[in-house]
Amino acid sequence: MSLGLLFALQEWIYSRSWNEHVKLSLLAEAWGVQYFIWGVLCWILWWTLRSRINTANLKTILCLFFPLSLLASVVEEVIWVLLFPKLPMGRPPMPFLQRLLFHLDVELIDSLVLFWSAFFLFRGIGYYQSYREKERMASQLQAQLLQAQMRALRMQLNPHFLFNTMNGISSLMRTDVAAADLMLEQLSQLLRITLHRGESQFIPLSDEMEFIEMYLAMQGRRFDGRVQQRINIDPHVHDAIVPTMILQPIVENAFAHGLSRISSHGTIAIEAIPVGSALRLSVTNSGVGIQPARRIPGRGVGLANVRDRLKMHYGDHHSLLIKEIDESQVQVVITFPLRFAEHAAIQPTGYGA
């Protein structure tokens, strides 16, 4: 509209120099209608040939859009000449065809400039929309890939845990059938909890500790009181959100590689505390330290699984460290951002007292 008024004012000034008395309102209306017609033509062009504009090569441009630009310019001038019979100015009255040829001679280049400006503007918009669509598809594909990888890790983790526990039950049946039966019952409860969680990637720490408590009860039965358990959960992080089954592989490793190698006075300590904006989880066990074959930590299925899941969930904003406190104690420490669910249910676990 502003551009139309500017051209109308310029035309009005010229008319005064020609001693023509044309109303400024008529000129403003004429220029406004001209740009309105071009607006409608461009809208039709975009909605009917959008895909062709975005993919047009040189041959298509020369064979289709160049003739179309001439046709659109002529159509616009025909409509405009019909709507404003009193124009042009400074000329004697002319028949319709002569007026049309006069306007085409004067304004054809301007009309072509308008057409091709709109064409390249639409092409730029098409490229931008295509880029955003590809970006959205790539982001969606990445999310689906991440979900698939997480699901694969969960599927890998559950059988790993199940096989190890079944082996424990098998060995216990040779010495204590009642204990093996109780352990089997506890295993069924753990599987029920696992099924109840479904494919949830995150759960409250209190839920994770409920699972760990049952697992420790099973191992306590298996080791017949030889392992002392100490659990310290800061009350402020009871409802912190953690990856599902993030502690179980670490606790399982503590029994498999440390506590199972000693005959008495074993200890396992689990701690969860906030450290600034991070949650720090640690599992410390007594045993035989880190054996030479395990000097490169994280090669086992369980810890490798934990490391991969932390990487996928938190990127570089996490850590997993395995260290010897002394020759008989090994500690695994993981840290990741401390987060809470918006509507986390408060489920006291009884820990942290």
Side-chain angles (χ1 to χ4, degrees), residues 12 26 36 43 81 85 87 100 121 135 161 206 286 290 295 307 329 336 346 352:
W12 181 77
L26 176 62
F36 175 78
W43 182 83
V81 168
L87 298 174
L100 177 62
L121 175 64
E135 196 174 50
F161 156 72
S206 55
S286 63
I290 299 178
R295 288 291 172 183
R307 193 184 299 279
Q329 291 192 82
F336 49 82
I346 299 175

Side-chain angles (χ1 to χ4, degrees), residues 284-299:
T284 307
N285 70 273
S286 63
V288 293
I290 299 178
Q291 297 301 296
R294 299 179 61 230
R295 288 291 172 183
I296 303 177
R299 291 294 182 86

Side-chain angles (χ1 to χ4, degrees), residues 31-330:
W31 281 103
V33 168
Q34 186 175 42
Y35 281 103
F36 175 78
I37 295 171
W38 270 115
V40 172
L41 290 174
C42 289
W43 182 83
I44 295 173
L45 177 70
W46 172 249
W47 284 107
T48 55
L49 297 172
R50 176 168 46 186
S51 60
R52 302 293 297 273
I53 291 174
N54 292 335
T55 59
N57 53 22
L58 181 60
K59 181 180 178 182
T60 304
I61 291 175
L62 293 176
C63 296
L64 174 62
F65 287 101
F66 184 72
L68 189 60
S69 67
L70 295 175
L71 178 62
S73 299
V74 172
V75 169
E76 186 275 332
E77 288 297 338
V78 168
I79 298 173
W80 191 82
V81 168
L82 285 173
L83 292 175
F84 297 94
K86 294 182 179 180
L87 298 174
M89 306 168 296
R91 299 279 179 176
M94 293 181 288
F96 169 78
L97 184 58
Q98 188 177 357
R99 288 176 52 236
L100 177 62
L101 292 175
F102 172 79
H103 280 285
L104 285 174
D105 181 54
V106 174
E107 300 181 357
L108 180 61
I109 299 300
D110 294 343
S111 298
L112 290 176
V113 169
L114 282 173
F115 179 93
W116 287 105
S117 297
F119 175 87
F120 287 110
L121 175 64
F122 292 156
R123 188 149 177 147
I125 293 174
Y127 278 133
Y128 177 74
Q129 290 179 335
S130 176
Y131 169 76
R132 292 300 303 269
E133 179 64 17
K134 288 180 180 177
E135 196 174 50
R136 188 187 67 80
M137 292 290 292
S139 176
Q140 192 174 32
L141 187 62
Q142 182 66 26
Q144 291 175 348
L145 178 62
L146 182 62
Q147 288 291 329
Q149 289 174 324
M150 294 302 299
R151 193 176 296 112
L153 287 172
R154 286 285 307 277
M155 291 175 67
Q156 180 189 45
L157 189 60
N158 288 337
H160 182 71
F161 156 72
L162 184 60
F163 293 150
N164 286 348
T165 307
M166 292 297 288
N167 286 335
I169 294 174
S170 176
S171 62
L172 196 60
M173 287 188 68
R174 297 188 181 90
T175 57
D176 191 342
V177 175
D181 183 64
L182 181 58
M183 194 171 174
L184 193 59
E185 182 181 342
Q186 291 170 328
L187 174 61
S188 69
Q189 293 177 356
L190 284 179
L191 294 177
R192 178 181 54 79
I193 292 175
T194 303
L195 290 174
H196 179 70
R197 288 174 177 176
E199 296 187 353
S200 300
Q201 297 294 346
F202 292 93
I203 58 172
L205 178 60
S206 55
D207 284 3
E208 180 71 6
M209 289 310 303
E210 180 185 5
F211 187 90
I212 293 298
E213 178 189 23
M214 297 184 67
Y215 181 78
L216 289 175
M218 290 175 56
Q219 295 293 20
R221 178 69 59 180
R222 178 184 172 191
F223 284 85
D224 195 23
R226 288 180 286 138
V227 177
Q228 184 180 5
Q229 303 167 5
R230 292 200 298 268
I231 299 177
N232 177 32
I233 308 298
D234 189 303
H236 295 96
V237 298
H238 274 178
D239 296 321
I241 299 303
V242 301
T244 304
M245 288 187 78
I246 199 67
L247 280 175
Q248 189 277 329
I250 300 173
V251 174
E252 184 177 326
N253 267 15
F255 279 97
H257 301 292
L259 298 167
S260 63
R261 299 173 186 271
I262 57 177
S263 58
S264 62
H265 304 297
T267 59
I268 181 168
I270 301 174
E271 183 182 60
I273 57 173
V275 179
S277 60
L279 175 63
R280 181 182 184 274
L281 303 177
S282 66
V283 177
T284 307
N285 70 273
S286 63
V288 293
I290 299 178
Q291 297 301 296
R294 299 179 61 230
R295 288 291 172 183
I296 303 177
R299 291 294 182 86
V301 172
L303 286 180
N305 191 296
V306 170
R307 193 184 299 279
D308 289 345
R309 293 169 68 207
L310 289 172
K311 178 70 175 177
M312 289 183 186
H313 283 311
Y314 305 109
D316 294 330
H317 302 289
H318 80 277
S319 65
L320 191 158
L321 300 175
I322 306 172
K323 60 182 179 182
E324 278 183 331
I325 297 178
D326 54 43
E327 293 182 354
S328 63
Q329 291 192 82
V330 176

